Amino acid sequence: MSETLENLLSETRQFPPPAELAANANVTAAAYAEADADRLAFWEKQARRLDWFKEWDQVLDWSNPPFAKWFVGGQLNISYNCLDRHVANGIGDRVAIHWEGEPGDTRTLTYADLLTETKKAANALLSLGVSKGDRVAIYMPMIPEAAVAMLACARIGATHSVVFGGFSVDALRGRIQDANAKLVITADGGYRRGAPSALKPTVDESVADCPSIEKVLVVRRTGQEVAWTDKDVWWHDAMSEASAEHEAAPMDAEHPLFILYTSGTTAKPKGILHTTGGYLTQVSFTHHAVFDLKPETDIYWCTADIGWVTGHSYIVYGPLSNGATQLMYEGTPDTPHKGRFWELIEKYGVTILYTAPTAIRTFAKWGDEIPAQFNLGSLRLLGSVGEPINPEAWMWYREHIGGNRCPIVDTWWQTETGGIMISPLPGVTDCKPGSAMRPLPGISAEIVNDAGNPVNGGYLALTKPWPSMLRTIWGDDNRFLETYWSRFKEQGFYFAGDGAKRDEDGAIWLLGRVDDVMLVSGHNISTTEVESALVAHPAVAEAAVVGATDATTGQAIVAFVILRGSAEVSTEELRNHVAKTLGPICKPRQIMLVAELPKTRSGKIMRRLLKDVAEKRSLGDVTTLQDSAVMSLIAEGMNSAT
Ligand code: 6R9
């Protein structure tokens, strides 16, 4: 990438915080000044929001960069911080999880219930031979036992590795082998799109090639038939035999809490390692600050799957450490009908909603009249994560879900960062549609060029260590150094892999992965900006843009577009619309109208596969694709169009 990205879109709309929210905000503008004055003292203060068995001797040991140690010498237990201390503080009767299954069955777990379950699960794990330092794979649907399993591992110091319930045999096997896991926790299946979907057969097939696995613990969720081996143990049997007494033991601040694999585009997945004290400090603080959580009154809902880092940090560890009451939902947003999310918000009185741009664009495609049928008046704050949110999708979210009254926090972060890094503070920031605005207090980010010097358009770099930073790639320190720390070695900056620009007010705009940046006739053009221009056309619900090799221009822009509901528009009109909005250089060579786009389970568009189609190559690795039928449909369309 050359020094700057073209600065294409300009956005003038701006929304100040609602006065009432600003007046009662958990975190005010003073936090920025405080953190700027003394960053380590600021994080030390946030660490004190938790209960420690032993205080740290040193806030940060950065003597061997980039291998950070935070809160050195400190000891705490994450499960204790998420459960025991709330019960000890007299809020054991507060609902921790309102759970709703896809078929409509429900469960309510208070903090006291969740603690009892977690203690029993911890004892069950111990009796199955799991001990501190062992790895446990978790392959589950979105049921409360998934959270209990994670908390039980944390409680006894076993390192969990959650694998998406939709991943294949290969993906699960590879992750179990890489971490040398001793136990798998799974379920017979879960409900997806109106039917039970099996999980156990995938585990059986994977485990057959995983000699490290000693036991498989199986939750009965759907009641479907399962094959049984001598490694298998029913969760309910293990739980009924387990004692409900378990004392949470102190863990070192740097004790490994979890490994979570990021898909990676080509090579084998990277096992991102997170540890205990710094991780919990940052996810707990950011959840409190960014969502302005009032634990006594808010009903919080993060729609992520626990197999994604968002589920780890903002369903399990952040909200529970803050004593939140939250909704957890098992299924898909269109089962049994396309108003399912809004029905749930009305039913539970959800006040804070955290979801992904992919979902928002899908809802816009389904039509404004669907959310309009429900009472969404309980909502007071909205969040977005996972991809850049196109300004028009942001506006749709604000109007049709937030009733033009709720602030939207667009939160930029990664599996590697562990917690939110760049985001508005809802009581402080004037938000611009499509911008993540600025680094949170205590976080240092810069936009730099190849030489590592600050510029207004270039690479996003994180310039100082942060508490919930990844500690390494499991078993591969060299790859950790190479992937994240070699590009700006001299400066000691972390390379995030995203392009970004800063506008004249200092707001940060994320422009997508730098690998996706297109080079058209010598101009660097971000996929995000062309996609946002397309989504700004009233007929367009969603767009994915790639640079395909072109004999004349080096790369040419090829766009894949999903139209809204019943909209009709010619591709010629859309090409002209982009040229008019962004300039003729950005006019797509070709636009394909499609019904679906290839996405990962966390909703990210897999542009790499679309590029294969645009360049008429056979498809690369599709193991992390949510729905593999999508690609053949798109490829067929592409072939018949040309
Ligand atoms: C939390 C999560 C990380 C990548 C990241 C970036 C993209 C996430 C974003 C965003 C623009 C946002 N991303 N949030 N881009 N604006 N608010 O998504 O983690 O699955 O590891 O993905 O997602 O490209 O580098 P992960």
Side-chain angles (χ1 to χ4, degrees), residues 262 308-310 384-389 410-416 496 498 510 512-513 602 604:
T262 60
W308 184 20
V309 69
T310 306
S384 172
V385 59
E387 284 186 300
I389 178 165
D410 174 11
T411 62
W412 179 89
W413 58 294
Q414 309 176 300
T415 306
E416 291 86 341
D498 282 348
L510 278 308
R513 303 293 297 166
S602 64
K604 293 190 212 308

Side-chain angles (χ1 to χ4, degrees), residues 260-593:
L260 185 59
Y261 290 82
T262 60
S263 41
T265 42
T266 46
K268 73 171 198 174
K270 302 187 281 280
I272 304 302
L273 179 70
H274 284 287
T275 59
T276 300
Y279 173 79
L280 194 66
T281 296
Q282 188 166 339
V283 300
S284 185
F285 166 70
T286 51
H287 181 260
H288 161 83
V290 172
F291 299 105
D292 191 47
L293 180 91
K294 307 287 193 256
E296 298 81 18
T297 48
D298 275 318
I299 308 287
Y300 167 86
W301 184 21
C302 168
T303 68
D305 189 285
I306 47 133
W308 184 20
V309 69
T310 306
H312 285 58
S313 300
Y314 298 106
I315 294 178
V316 179
Y317 296 118
L320 295 178
S321 69
N322 288 329
T325 295
Q326 68 178 317
L327 172 61
M328 183 177 186
Y329 173 57
E330 177 187 34
T332 45
D334 55 354
T335 307
H337 58 82
K338 291 189 167 115
R340 187 71 162 120
F341 272 23
W342 322 125
E343 179 183 75
L344 288 169
I345 288 174
E346 181 177 305
K347 174 174 172 185
Y348 291 96
V350 171
T351 57
I352 302 170
L353 175 67
Y354 191 30
T355 193
T358 178
I360 297 163
R361 292 184 302 247
T362 303
F363 298 137
K365 174 178 77 178
W366 289 344
D368 308 351
E369 63 287 356
I370 296 176
Q373 290 158 18
F374 298 89
N375 181 355
L376 305 181
S378 57
L379 287 169
R380 69 178 191 94
L381 196 151
L382 305 174
S384 172
V385 59
E387 284 186 300
I389 178 165
N390 319 104
E392 288 320 309
W394 196 101
M395 290 302 294
W396 187 91
Y397 195 26
R398 178 177 160 86
E399 183 180 342
H400 296 281
I401 307 306
N404 289 318
R405 91 190 156 261
C406 306
I408 299 178
V409 288
D410 174 11
T411 62
W412 179 89
W413 58 294
Q414 309 176 300
T415 306
E416 291 86 341
T417 69
I420 299 173
M421 303 293 283
I422 306 179
S423 165
L425 283 176
V428 177
T429 316
D430 286 4
C431 294
K432 300 185 183 193
S435 171
M437 301 307 295
R438 62 181 285 194
L440 288 177
I443 300 301
S444 307
E446 273 294 351
I447 298 167
V448 299
N449 60 13
D450 282 302
N453 298 321
V455 285
N456 286 329
Y459 305 105
L460 181 68
L462 303 171
T463 55
K464 297 208 173 108
W466 63 98
S468 64
M469 67 197 286
L470 76 167
R471 297 306 195 254
T472 189
I473 292 175
W474 182 257
D476 202 344
D477 286 349
N478 283 334
R479 194 168 173 208
F480 168 66
L481 295 171
E482 184 54 38
T483 310
Y484 305 106
W485 303 95
S486 63
R487 179 150 335 205
F488 303 118
K489 194 165 183 215
E490 212 174 294
Q491 298 80 3
F493 294 170
Y494 168 89
F495 171 62
D498 282 348
K501 68 180 187 186
R502 192 189 296 275
D503 70 17
E504 53 286 357
D505 301 326
I508 294 177
W509 298 75
L510 278 308
L511 298 176
R513 303 293 297 166
V514 293
D515 298 341
D516 291 335
V517 168
M518 303 174 290
L519 190 61
V520 183
S521 304
H523 298 261
N524 278 311
I525 297 172
S526 92
T527 52
T528 302
E529 290 190 291
V530 180
E531 287 162 6
S532 289
L534 283 162
V535 173
H537 189 286
V540 175
E542 187 151 25
V545 159
V546 298
T549 310
D550 185 276
T552 339
T553 55
Q555 281 189 326
I557 300 175
V558 176
F560 298 80
V561 166
I562 302 179
L563 297 182
R564 279 194 196 213
S566 56
E568 279 184 39
V569 67
S570 72
T571 54
E572 195 48 33
E573 180 181 331
L574 294 178
R575 292 177 65 228
N576 290 333
H577 165 80
V578 175
K580 210 170 115 214
T581 318
L582 299 178
I585 186 87
C586 297
K587 186 173 183 170
R589 179 183 76 188
Q590 186 183 7
I591 293 185
M592 293 269 308
L593 298 181

Side-chain angles (χ1 to χ4, degrees), residues 96-146:
I97 298 177
H98 288 290
W99 176 82
E100 177 126 354
E102 194 184 73
D105 48 336
T106 61
R107 285 162 67 185
T108 307
L109 287 100
T110 63
Y111 274 93
D113 296 335
L114 204 54
L115 176 58
T116 304
E117 292 297 295
T118 301
K119 285 180 172 177
K120 284 203 243 169
N123 285 324
L125 291 179
L126 290 169
S127 71
L128 292 171
V130 177
S131 44
K132 186 173 172 180
D134 287 341
R135 270 81 55 210
V136 172
I138 298 179
Y139 185 72
M140 287 178 93
M142 284 294 288
I143 54 177
E145 285 80 2

